[in-house]
Amino acid sequence: MSGEFYGIGVGPGDPELMTVKALKIISNSDIVAIPESGKGKGSLAYEIAEPYFEKEPEILKLVFPMIGDGRLKSAYGKENALRIKEKTDAGKKVVFLTLGDPMIYSTYIYLLEHLAAMGVKAITIPGITSFSAISASLGIPLVKGDEKLAVIPEFDGDTENIAALSDCVIFMKVSGYKDKLADFLCKNSGRFVLVSDAGRPKEKVTHDLDNLMKTDLSYFSTLIYYRNKT
Ligand SMILES: C[S@@+](CC[C@H](N)C(=O)[O-])C[C@H]1O[C@@H](n2cnc3c(N)ncnc32)[C@H](O)[C@@H]1O
């Protein structure tokens, strides 16, 4: 008997921001697969979802190091996909938990292509992405009418052009390019808000460029830039 595999978005941090569908699937799952950035580093995604497991699941830890190299990430994806397949082949119901939404810059994406090639059907349950939660909690809309929204994960040669064509830009993974971003904000008009660890007790919000420069940013930091607001 073949098992089942689900990729589940657990949202930005507040367990109440998970979908009803996610809770239903999680409640009677056998195995929880959790991505870790290094052995023994733990999983925030599992901490968020833990209250909803009705029976204690077996934990399958999958290491996905924080590396920029796409090919190496894909190699880890293949190895981890094989470990999931072993469990579904044994008839188990496996859930893979991911922060925010699984289809946005998530390690889950590195599993999907390999699972499909191995004949494992993956069912994806969306989650509330970090920037939706930030915009909602601050009460600041992202875009309206015919405005354009861009999402940027790194500061490269295209970034300034993309920003010039957009009304609102969501800068994710900003801890990796904080200096370049501060320089951009200094040179351009507009307004921004930087939020670190949104929805968690240590959440920080700043609109101040000096603060952005001084602070050692958490990996979980997102900056929202409004080009036309002053
Ligand atoms: C690998 S991406 C994962 C995105 C996730 N799948 C989503 O839908 O939000 C990690 C980036 O998401 C953003 N992020 C995730 N959680 C966050 C939070 N609680 N507060 C602020 N930014 C967050 C940060 O920009 C972080 O560098």
Side-chain angles (χ1 to χ4, degrees):
M1 188 193 74
S2 177
E4 295 163 66
F5 175 75
Y6 297 87
I8 295 185
V10 302
D14 178 348
E16 293 194 357
L17 288 180
M18 288 178 61
T19 63
V20 173
K21 194 163 229 173
L23 306 193
K24 278 188 185 161
I25 293 165
I26 282 173
S27 68
N28 64 356
S29 57
D30 303 307
I31 298 179
V32 57
I34 47 181
E36 286 190 324
S37 52
K39 276 207 164 98
K41 284 209 169 169
S43 162
L44 191 54
Y46 183 47
E47 272 174 45
I48 295 166
E50 201 172 4
Y52 303 117
F53 286 85
E54 282 175 12
K55 56 180 182 181
E56 200 175 323
E58 178 188 329
I59 293 179
L60 180 67
K61 288 186 179 171
L62 305 177
V63 177
F64 275 102
M66 289 224 201
I67 40 175
D69 182 337
R71 266 188 305 180
L72 200 52
K73 277 187 175 158
S74 178
Y76 275 97
K78 186 172 184 182
E79 198 181 307
N80 289 326
L82 273 171
R83 295 185 62 204
I84 288 168
K85 181 174 163 37
E86 275 169 24
K87 301 294 183 185
T88 55
D89 282 352
K92 301 290 184 187
K93 179 174 178 182
V94 183
V95 293
F96 180 93
L97 304 180
T98 176
L99 285 171
D101 183 81
M103 297 306 205
I104 295 187
Y105 301 127
S106 162
T107 48
Y108 176 66
I109 298 162
Y110 294 96
L111 279 177
L112 273 185
E113 60 190 44
H114 296 293
L115 287 170
M118 291 170 193
V120 178
K121 184 178 171 203
I123 297 173
T124 305
I125 309 300
I128 294 178
T129 186
S130 47
F131 52 81
S132 294
I134 290 170
S135 122
S137 79
L138 297 178
I140 310 173
L142 296 174
V143 271
K144 65 176 189 311
D146 57 2
E147 290 174 348
K148 296 178 189 73
L149 175 69
V151 182
I152 302 268
E154 62 179 356
F155 207 101
D156 62 17
D158 295 328
T159 305
E160 300 209 24
N161 289 340
I162 293 170
L165 293 170
S166 311
D167 298 280
C168 175
V169 184
I170 294 160
F171 289 97
M172 300 182 86
K173 308 185 188 182
V174 292
S175 58
Y177 56 90
K178 179 181 100 157
D179 292 353
K180 286 182 186 167
L181 187 54
D183 194 44
F184 166 84
L185 294 168
C186 232
K187 286 192 310 209
N188 289 276
S189 58
R191 199 192 287 176
F192 76 88
V193 58
L194 170 71
V195 183
S196 298
D197 299 294
R200 301 180 197 144
K202 57 180 175 178
E203 174 176 309
K204 274 194 204 139
V205 180
T206 184
H207 301 265
D208 181 56
L209 201 52
D210 287 342
N211 247 344
L212 165 66
M213 286 308 289
K214 273 188 271 166
T215 319
D216 202 8
L217 285 186
S218 145
Y219 172 69
F220 296 106
S221 298
T222 299
L223 187 141
I224 304 179
Y225 169 69
Y226 298 90
R227 189 167 57 87
N228 298 317
K229 286 192 182 157
T230 47

